[in-house]
Amino acid sequence: MAKIESKANQSQGMLMFTLTNNKQLFAIGTLKVREIVPFQPTTQIPYSHHHVVGTVTIRDKTIPVINMPAAIGFRPIQPEEYDSCYLIVTDCLRTVVAFMVRSIEKIIECDWKTIESAPTSAGKNIFVTGITRYNDQIIQMLDVELLLSKIYPQYESTNIPMLTDVERERLKALNILLVDDSSIARKQLSDALDSINIPYQICNNGLEALTLMRNESAQNRAINLLVSDIEMPGLDGYELAFETQNDSDLDNAYIILHTSLSSEICVQRAQQVGAHEALEKFNAGDLIKAMLRGADELAKGDVTKRISVDV
């Protein structure tokens, strides 16, 4: 099959902004961003999280406002500074929230392959998933999923379906690979499988996963079931799926892409690169059911069917 160019990142840019007075740059992928608006007066909510400064109404929707610098450990934006700030309205983990930031810099195109993973020596619970550079400045990509999980702990809850012995053994027989650059997402994925005693391997990014898959295949234990995040530094989930489907040593894997984004475009792209299913992140029940569907297709020896939509 002739190799075609993946269209995975054509419309995925990077929104840069500042959280501190020293103008250090941070960023998130634009697919998470609904809109950017100047700060608006908020309505306080009793007993809300201490980093939630209140709510605003935008386009007839009530949206909580999170003081982003405070939420990731910097000096909070003070009330007297609010009027000069901006709100980044995001749609992530099935939740619309507004992050208050000190300034908006710009939106740029981004070669996601150039983003380096955050150093492991930085610790497990840092809010940075990757690091890149723009005009000789360091830009830190923020882990929005981890941040939201700290504000709204219910995202750490799981709903694991009960499995029959037959279903459990069917999954246990597979060589399963989980891939995600977010520490909270990796914990969710691993907790889901640990709770039902299913073995797996786990990688922090797409490049690491592709290397592992090729090594496993070379040792006659090819990955059967690939569960990958979409947005990752280095090699994203779309490209990982594309590379897997375009390699005759790897293309028998059942591919499940998962995302925190709430957008049909994610499904369209997943279909484009040959994924079997597309799911929203952090729904352990949906994930296990998708993996069982994958096990059924693998048992039949037919993984040519594409794509089940559940986003």
Side-chain angles (χ1 to χ4, degrees):
M1 180 174 66
K3 184 172 181 178
I4 62 173
E5 201 65 33
S6 169
K7 297 180 181 179
N9 290 314
Q10 285 186 356
S11 63
Q12 169 72 332
M14 177 189 295
L15 171 63
M16 299 189 301
F17 50 87
T18 65
L19 300 177
T20 61
N21 289 326
N22 65 5
K23 298 297 183 180
Q24 184 176 352
L25 291 178
F26 296 87
I28 59 176
T30 53
L31 287 179
K32 289 186 172 76
V33 179
R34 277 195 168 191
E35 61 183 311
I36 303 164
V37 298
F39 178 81
Q40 301 177 17
T42 60
T43 300
Q44 291 189 322
I45 311 172
Y47 302 107
S48 62
H49 190 280
H50 56 284
H51 295 322
V52 176
V53 300
T55 63
V56 294
T57 301
I58 299 176
R59 305 189 194 286
D60 297 322
K61 186 175 182 64
T62 301
I63 301 171
V65 176
I66 296 172
N67 193 324
M68 196 178 217
I72 67 171
F74 290 131
R75 185 181 75 85
I77 299 174
Q78 302 300 314
E80 60 269 21
E81 302 175 89
Y82 287 177
D83 287 343
S84 63
C85 294
Y86 289 85
L87 302 180
I88 303 173
V89 182
T90 65
D91 190 346
C92 185
L93 297 177
R94 303 179 181 179
T95 302
V96 177
V97 302
F99 291 108
M100 183 166 56
V101 301
R102 282 198 156 85
S103 69
I104 298 294
E105 294 303 304
K106 61 173 63 179
I107 294 175
I108 61 171
E109 293 183 359
C110 177
D111 181 358
W112 292 81
K113 295 186 182 68
T114 65
I115 299 178
E116 306 166 11
S117 296
T120 55
S121 57
K124 292 183 178 180
N125 290 315
I126 62 170
F127 292 98
V128 176
T129 61
I131 297 171
T132 189
R133 289 167 180 79
Y134 177 75
N135 288 347
D136 297 325
Q137 286 184 280
I138 292 176
I139 304 170
Q140 298 183 60
M141 299 294 298
L142 290 181
D143 187 343
V144 176
E145 292 89 347
L146 178 60
L147 194 160
L148 286 176
S149 76
K150 301 299 184 184
I151 304 292
Y152 303 110
Q154 68 266 27
Y155 290 130
E156 299 211 32
S157 65
T158 58
N159 182 20
I160 309 297
M162 296 293 293
L163 299 187
T164 66
D165 289 341
V166 172
E167 289 172 330
R168 183 175 290 105
E169 291 306 312
R170 190 176 298 160
L171 287 179
K172 286 178 72 172
L174 301 179
N175 193 359
I176 298 171
L177 177 60
L178 311 177
V179 190
D180 204 299
D181 66 318
S182 168
S183 60
I184 189 66
R186 288 196 300 273
K187 183 177 186 302
Q188 286 285 345
L189 292 167
S190 58
D191 284 354
L193 295 194
D194 288 344
S195 68
I196 53 176
N197 298 315
I198 302 299
Y200 58 88
Q201 300 184 71
I202 195 162
C203 289
N204 294 351
N205 58 68
L207 288 172
E208 181 184 323
L210 188 60
T211 298
L212 184 147
M213 291 182 75
R214 288 172 173 162
N215 289 341
E216 291 288 282
S217 178
Q219 298 178 54
N220 295 315
R221 52 172 189 256
I223 295 297
N224 308 119
L225 206 159
L226 171 64
V227 179
S228 176
D229 182 24
I230 289 178
E231 285 190 302
M232 295 183 293
L235 189 77
D236 69 18
Y238 297 121
E239 293 171 317
L240 176 59
F242 181 82
E243 293 295 334
T244 299
Q245 289 299 313
N246 207 44
D247 188 326
S248 59
D249 293 329
L250 309 178
D251 64 0
N252 285 321
Y254 191 88
I255 302 171
I256 302 170
L257 296 183
H258 60 94
T259 177
S260 59
L261 306 175
S262 301
S263 171
E264 291 183 4
I265 196 170
C266 300
V267 174
Q268 295 167 358
R269 291 178 176 175
Q271 185 175 28
Q272 214 174 42
V273 297
H276 295 83
E277 306 205 31
L279 306 172
E280 276 201 44
K281 272 187 186 176
F282 302 152
N283 189 321
D286 287 348
L287 174 62
I288 299 300
K289 290 173 186 175
M291 294 174 71
L292 287 169
R293 289 192 292 270
D296 288 341
E297 295 303 315
L298 289 163
K300 296 174 188 174
D302 180 13
V303 290
T304 59
K305 288 169 35 177
R306 307 286 191 274
I307 175 175
S308 173
V309 176
D310 199 15
V311 176

